[in-house]
Amino acid sequence: MEQSFLRYRLFIILAFTLVLYTGSLLLAYLVRFDFAIPQEYLIRFLQLLPAVLAIKLVVSWFLGVFTGWWRYVSMPDVVQIAKATLLSTLLILAYAVVVHRLHLIPRTVIFLDGVFGFVFVAGVRLITRTIRESFQALHQQVKPEHIRRIFVVGAGEAGHAIARELRLNPHLGMQLVGFIDDDPIKKNTTIQGIPVLGPCRKLNGLIEKHKVDEIIIAIPSATGKQLRTIINFCNESKCLFKVLPGVGELIDGRVTVQQIRQIDLNDLLGRDPIDFDTENVKSYLQGKRVLVTGAGGSIGSEICRQVMRFNPAKLILFENGETPLFMIEQELAKSYQNIPIVPVIGDVRNRSRVNVIFDQQQPQVVFHAAAYKHVPLMEANPAEAVNNNVQGTVLLADASDYYGVEKFVMVSTDKAVRPTNVMGTTKRIAEMYVQSLNNRSKTRFVTTRFGNVLGSNGSVIPTFQLQIEAGGPVTVTHPEVTRFFMTIPEATQLVLQAGSMGQGGEVYLFDMGEPVKITTLAEEMIRLSGLIPYEDIDIVYVGLRPGEKLYEELLLADEGVLPTPHKKICIAQSVTPPHEQLVEQIAQLVNDAKILDFQGVGRGLKQLVPEYTPTQNKKLMSTTNQHP
């Protein structure tokens, strides 16, 4: 039965539409003549009818009025019907003037015919949809005891979409009780029959009054600060809450209930979507042989994923760890079967290995993300930090220069600014060497400097998660410690963007937004786990670790800043010693590291980076204490 209907669906719709159009013209005559049509006008109606039907059918067909499903009719469909009606009315009027000179065809009839035709055609579709939705709601009805009462925060477009989704999917067992919105104009209005009850500050009382079980935050454009404010109100009410993803995730513009998810730290930190200049990045990556060091790490692996989007001629994965290399190679090979991927196990500190790789693979673009990054570990192992972060960068940069690499992009850190630890100091030396080599090389050497990335291997967030799962306590180094954060995809996109802009010698700084208190981060993570800070999970302060400082910086005092066309990227005007001097001092530093002369390493670091001031963290350490 259903297949037969689908086969003859178009003919049925055309026939039914002819009946509607005939009825609209007849009703127009009846209304015009008070339901008593004179004989001569009745004859004129019969003469006019074929032309009217032909014009309306042709116009409706041309504008696609017959292609939509009535059960899914929406505002764009109604607008299309209105366009078809207006055009048909104008053509019928022109026909009446030219052919009949409006003789015995009142213009009122033509106008009324257009109005009735639109009402009939649009009305039938809307009635069909209403009946279907009512039947579906009745068929999918959930038992009252299983229904969750819902508030939607945000009465904008996303809120409208959520309301419609909940109405169309009663099997979800969610009843929308009301909207919460801070816009005073929307207060005491209704949206799809649902009232806007008031602002967020009254959320607690409204939840209690309306016995709400769950809150959906439907403001995709909300900043992290705005979202934190809303969540604070939700926390006060002790009500469950979820969020619709931000605009950066809603790429296709569609909003569905399935996209509603738990709040995560990316939402709270509120990183705005990157203005990614795809064409400029594509211009230096497409068709190029690209090498990524540290390809299995958090940043390195994401660089690999992003680079593959731009169809390079070949991607060389340079990684010291066997398992991380295997994982990223398998992932990329599955997704990009037509792009050659060369997995290479090797150490950036091995000159012979580096030179062989460059000689065999002939990379044109190099992203250098391999480094030791854990501050306390490098304080305990300064020689290894020098060998990897300094000597490894020197060998890679020299090989890039010798083998004619077009562009070398180095990933650095905010800890290289006024460093108080070995890790940051070694990265600053690497920055200086890359810059100085740029002055004498055809290769364009570019440095990117940014802060912490959310969820990177061994970072604070995975550590907090494990501590929360274990029942606490969550350990924070100091009550006032702050850090800059960005997401891994955001950091990687900015690295690629900076690489596309770099002409050589620049140190690019990324806009990291506002610094975040680690204590605040810990509190929010506990709340996101459904627990209460200091009640369910304690936060304990353990003192700054070796090499750590309270606040990170992105800029030295003597570094000026130049803007770039990208609003989230600027250039630090960094001063670099002469290349020959750097080569000599780095050689001595590396030699001291190889023979494990730790005093010599300390002197070398201070000589190369005079602003390096090792912290005496025993003075900064406080006795382990707990939040009062």
Side-chain angles (χ1 to χ4, degrees):
M1 180 72 178
E2 186 176 352
Q3 289 182 345
S4 299
F5 173 76
L6 291 174
R7 188 179 306 161
Y8 299 108
R9 173 178 174 272
L10 182 59
F11 297 103
I12 295 172
I13 290 175
L14 285 173
F16 190 70
T17 304
L18 284 174
V19 172
L20 292 178
Y21 285 154
T22 301
S24 69
L25 183 62
L26 179 60
L27 183 60
Y29 268 98
L30 287 170
V31 171
R32 170 63 179 80
F33 293 105
D34 295 327
F35 292 87
I37 306 174
Q39 183 67 27
E40 62 270 26
Y41 282 98
L42 189 59
I43 295 172
R44 184 61 65 190
F45 161 75
L46 296 174
Q47 292 175 340
L48 185 63
L49 182 61
V52 169
L53 294 179
I55 290 172
K56 288 187 176 184
L57 285 177
V58 170
V59 171
S60 297
W61 183 278
F62 179 75
L63 292 181
V65 172
F66 301 125
T67 58
W69 285 85
W70 293 6
R71 69 184 72 173
Y72 301 123
V73 68
S74 61
M75 186 56 66
D77 298 312
V78 174
V79 170
Q80 204 67 4
I81 293 171
K83 289 179 181 178
T85 301
L86 179 60
L87 181 58
S88 299
T89 301
L90 293 175
L91 290 175
I92 292 168
L93 182 61
Y95 167 81
V97 171
V98 173
V99 178
H100 299 283
R101 302 180 184 278
L102 285 178
H103 182 57
L104 294 179
I105 304 177
R107 281 168 291 184
T108 309
V109 167
I110 297 175
F111 170 75
L112 289 173
D113 172 58
V115 173
F116 294 143
F118 170 77
V119 171
F120 286 176
V121 174
V124 166
R125 285 161 168 76
L126 291 171
I127 290 170
T128 301
R129 173 176 169 174
T130 301
I131 292 173
R132 176 184 175 273
E133 289 181 3
S134 299
F135 174 78
Q136 188 178 37
L138 186 65
H139 182 68
Q140 298 179 350
Q141 201 63 258
V142 178
K143 293 181 179 180
E145 61 268 23
H146 295 151
I147 293 177
R148 287 171 291 159
R149 294 171 64 80
I150 305 294
F151 271 167
V152 170
V153 178
E157 291 298 325
H160 285 231
I162 294 299
R164 183 169 56 251
E165 281 276 319
L166 293 179
R167 189 181 70 250
L168 295 178
N169 295 281
H171 65 279
L172 295 173
M174 303 168 77
Q175 179 188 355
L176 179 53
V177 177
F179 288 97
I180 304 297
D181 200 293
D182 287 336
D183 187 350
I185 297 176
K186 295 178 181 177
K187 186 179 179 182
N188 297 325
T189 61
T190 59
I191 296 171
Q192 299 183 41
I194 308 297
V196 180
L197 298 172
C200 291
R201 68 176 182 273
K202 295 185 178 180
L203 197 54
N204 206 350
L206 290 170
I207 287 172
E208 188 175 343
K209 178 180 178 180
H210 293 274
K211 295 180 171 54
V212 169
D213 303 303
E214 192 171 313
I215 300 166
I216 297 173
I217 302 171
I219 314 176
S221 61
T223 64
K225 185 176 180 180
Q226 291 170 330
L227 202 54
R228 286 195 295 272
T229 301
I230 295 171
I231 290 171
N232 285 338
F233 288 123
C234 294
N235 283 327
E236 289 176 8
S237 68
K238 293 183 170 51
C239 188
L240 293 175
F241 55 90
K242 294 181 179 178
V243 67
L244 195 69
V247 292
E249 296 175 68
L250 298 177
I251 301 298
D252 60 0
R254 296 180 68 250
V255 177
T256 67
V257 171
Q258 285 71 32
Q259 289 167 318
I260 297 170
R261 55 161 171 76
Q262 300 292 338
I263 298 279
D264 62 31
L265 283 173
N266 289 339
D267 300 313
L268 298 179
L269 294 178
R271 306 295 302 172
D272 294 331
I274 292 290
D275 183 12
F276 196 45
D277 190 344
T278 304
E279 288 305 312
N280 273 344
V281 174
K282 183 178 179 180
S283 68
Y284 86 104
L285 292 179
Q286 187 176 35
K288 298 295 178 65
R289 298 179 297 275
V290 180
L291 182 147
V292 179
T293 71
S298 305
I299 296 294
S301 61
E302 185 64 23
I303 289 176
C304 293
R305 296 182 191 98
Q306 300 270 357
V307 166
M308 291 296 267
R309 294 170 45 205
F310 296 96
N311 197 29
K314 176 169 59 177
L315 181 63
I316 305 109
L317 312 177
F318 192 3
E319 170 62 52
N320 195 30
E322 175 191 24
T323 300
L325 178 61
F326 174 79
M327 298 300 291
I328 187 62
E329 189 268 338
Q330 290 293 301
E331 176 189 331
L332 296 176
K334 183 179 179 180
S335 302
Y336 302 94
Q337 299 177 8
N338 298 324
I339 301 175
I341 300 171
V342 183
V344 177
I345 290 183
D347 195 323
V348 295
R349 297 169 291 189
N350 187 328
R351 185 187 302 273
S352 298
R353 185 63 170 143
V354 168
N355 287 334
V356 166
I357 293 168
F358 274 74
D359 185 47
Q360 290 178 344
Q361 304 300 333
Q362 295 293 310
Q364 296 166 283
V365 179
V366 173
F367 290 97
H368 177 35
Y372 286 149
K373 65 177 184 178
H374 291 287
V375 170
L377 283 178
M378 293 307 101
E379 290 298 291
N381 300 274
E384 290 306 306
V386 169
N387 287 331
N388 195 61
N389 295 356
V390 178
Q391 178 69 348
T393 302
V394 168
L395 294 180
L396 281 166
D398 287 345
S400 297
D401 173 42
Y402 182 81
Y403 287 96
V405 169
E406 295 173 12
K407 188 164 288 188
F408 180 103
V409 182
M410 174 185 161
V411 176
S412 189
T413 171
D414 58 354
K415 294 173 178 62
V417 179
R418 229 186 309 274
T420 60
N421 53 67
V422 171
M423 191 280 281
T425 308
T426 56
K427 292 297 284 184
R428 176 60 187 147
I429 295 170
E431 287 184 359
M432 292 160 57
Y433 186 82
V434 163
Q435 282 184 281
S436 71
L437 187 58
N438 181 81
N439 298 329
R440 54 194 298 135
S441 173
K442 292 182 180 179
T443 300
R444 287 175 288 175
F445 290 91
V446 176
T447 298
T448 59
R449 187 191 289 169
F450 54 91
N452 300 274
V453 289
L454 284 172
S456 63
N457 295 335
S459 65
V460 65
I461 290 172
T463 301
F464 284 173
Q465 286 173 335
L466 290 174
Q467 291 175 337
I468 292 169
E469 289 170 7
V474 172
T475 57
V476 177
T477 56
H478 192 283
E480 298 301 319
V481 69
T482 63
R483 293 292 182 265
F484 291 103
F485 285 97
M486 61 169 45
T487 66
I488 292 175
E490 180 185 13
T492 304
Q493 287 182 6
L494 289 174
V495 168
L496 298 187
Q497 194 77 72
S500 72
M501 297 188 299
Q503 298 303 308
E506 301 96 341
V507 175
Y508 285 104
L509 310 179
F510 296 167
D511 176 10
M512 299 293 297
E514 294 297 321
V516 177
K517 267 192 174 185
I518 302 301
T519 298
T520 303
L521 201 63
E523 292 171 347
E524 294 296 349
M525 287 191 66
I526 293 170
R527 291 192 185 100
L528 292 180
S529 301
L531 302 169
I532 301 174
Y534 312 114
E535 291 184 19
D536 300 321
I537 299 286
D538 290 330
I539 295 178
V540 174
Y541 300 111
V542 297
L544 290 174
R545 297 176 298 176
E548 287 188 327
K549 53 184 177 180
L550 288 177
Y551 313 103
E552 300 291 0
E553 305 164 272
L554 286 169
L555 196 67
L556 287 168
D558 58 352
E559 290 180 329
V561 175
L562 295 175
T564 71
H566 196 288
K567 65 180 182 180
K568 287 201 170 187
I569 303 176
C570 61
I571 301 172
Q573 293 180 294
S574 187
V575 179
T576 303
H579 184 71
E580 293 78 8
Q581 177 185 331
L582 272 178
V583 169
E584 181 181 338
Q585 292 175 341
I586 288 174
Q588 182 61 51
L589 174 66
V590 171
N591 183 66
D592 290 338
K594 286 181 178 178
I595 64 174
L596 301 180
D597 180 356
F598 297 119
Q599 288 187 344
V601 168
R603 285 195 302 271
L605 294 175
K606 186 68 175 177
Q607 181 184 34
L608 280 157
V609 185
E611 64 270 20
Y612 168 45
T613 53
T615 57
Q616 300 298 320
N617 279 334
K618 289 181 180 180
K619 294 180 181 178
L620 291 173
M621 292 279 283
S622 58
T623 56
T624 301
N625 59 83
Q626 196 168 309
H627 192 279

